[in-house]
Amino acid sequence: MNTRIRSSHQRVERDRTNAVLHALLQLGPGPHKSRDIAARTTMGEEEVRRRLLQLFKAKVCCRPRYGYWEIRPLTDAPTDTPGLVHPSTTPLLDAALLLEGLHNRTQKAALLHTYSPVTGERLCIAAAGVRDESLRRELAFTSGAVDRLRRAPLDSDAPGLVMLANLAGQDTPLREDLRRIRSAQVALTESPLPGWILISVPLRRLPGAPAIPGAEPRVVAAVSILTPDNTQGDPLVAYGRLMRNAVQAAIQTSVVIAHPRFAAAQAA
């Protein structure tokens, strides 16, 4: 199967799974029989059950008892640290699941930053693994560290720099450090927390956001690992490769548009 056919097949699969999610949302809160969900789609019950299992594995819905399905309550979704995440943002569940996956594989805090073109700042919009006791203690003892991880100028550290390096057009002259970052598609700098480093890779599409066929969007966000500066080996290579692979997999397989209440699906 060539790349174009495979990509088209993936879009169809994602759209059909989203149709099941949309049907479940239309039925409202509480458990619903799979046949009632299927009745709101053009698919048979067997296919609807298969796609409900996909949503169940993605932690989007739960199965309170056999044959019944419901949207997973917001309190069951991956959690953030309120002080670290910018309050003006709406979490994307697929992005939160990406961060949870990175945290589980690395046992490090994982952060998602986007940027404000108005203020020229990077903003933390999701986090996972930041409830670690040692990290919480370090943050509590370092005045202003949480504020600077949540919000800072784009050129402050790795997440902002990796976005900045990719926001400029291909023909735009860049300073040497940004050229290296754009070539490697990964950045490493000290973090606002002394003794800790940030390793960041860019995202051209947030997991869960719809793609525009044929378009090549500019970078919209950065995924970062926050780790003590005593990592053995070459963290830039090892973590960079792991993070790029995780981001690519998340974008290709994501089925959820937005959370809470999956607003884009409701509006469809």
Side-chain angles (χ1 to χ4, degrees), residues 46-64:
E46 189 58 38
E47 182 178 3
V48 167
R49 277 194 293 269
R50 179 168 62 84
R51 296 184 185 279
L52 285 166
L53 281 172
Q54 291 178 350
L55 295 169
F56 175 79
K57 290 177 181 178
K59 300 181 181 180
V60 175
C61 71
C62 54
R63 184 166 50 178

Side-chain angles (χ1 to χ4, degrees), residues 54-61 72 76-80 91-104 110 112 126-128 207 246 250 253-256 259 262:
Q54 291 178 350
L55 295 169
F56 175 79
K57 290 177 181 178
K59 300 181 181 180
V60 175
C61 71
R72 185 178 293 273
D76 287 351
T79 55
D80 298 319
L92 292 172
L93 182 57
D94 278 7
L97 293 172
L98 164 62
L99 297 183
E100 285 290 327
L102 282 173
H103 167 61
N104 291 336
L112 176 66
T253 61
S254 63
V255 297
V256 182
H259 191 68
F262 312 100

Side-chain angles (χ1 to χ4, degrees), residues 15-164:
D15 288 346
R16 291 177 76 82
T17 302
N18 274 328
V20 173
L21 171 62
H22 185 50
L24 187 54
L25 285 166
Q26 286 179 320
L27 287 167
H32 303 284
K33 293 181 179 179
S34 54
R35 67 167 176 262
D36 294 334
I37 301 169
R40 291 177 173 266
T41 74
T42 59
M43 292 170 267
E45 275 192 57
E46 189 58 38
E47 182 178 3
V48 167
R49 277 194 293 269
R50 179 168 62 84
R51 296 184 185 279
L52 285 166
L53 281 172
Q54 291 178 350
L55 295 169
F56 175 79
K57 290 177 181 178
K59 300 181 181 180
V60 175
C61 71
C62 54
R63 184 166 50 178
R65 57 188 183 274
Y66 185 79
Y68 287 79
W69 306 82
E70 65 179 336
I71 292 293
R72 185 178 293 273
L74 182 59
T75 53
D76 287 351
T79 55
D80 298 319
T81 294
L84 191 59
V85 177
H86 198 272
S88 66
T89 61
T90 300
L92 292 172
L93 182 57
D94 278 7
L97 293 172
L98 164 62
L99 297 183
E100 285 290 327
L102 282 173
H103 167 61
N104 291 336
R105 294 182 65 181
T106 63
Q107 295 303 299
K108 309 294 183 185
L111 310 176
L112 176 66
H113 287 89
T114 188
Y115 67 93
S116 167
V118 177
T119 64
E121 295 173 310
R122 56 136 180 88
L123 307 172
C124 184
I125 62 171
V130 291
R131 297 184 183 277
D132 175 78
E133 191 62 36
S134 63
L135 175 58
R136 290 171 66 89
R137 185 171 57 249
E138 293 283 345
L139 289 171
F141 290 162
T142 308
S143 176
V146 169
D147 291 339
R148 293 192 298 275
L149 281 167
R150 179 177 64 243
R151 179 177 181 175
L154 268 174
D155 59 358
S156 297
D157 46 35
L161 290 171
V162 83
M163 289 188 283
L164 198 59

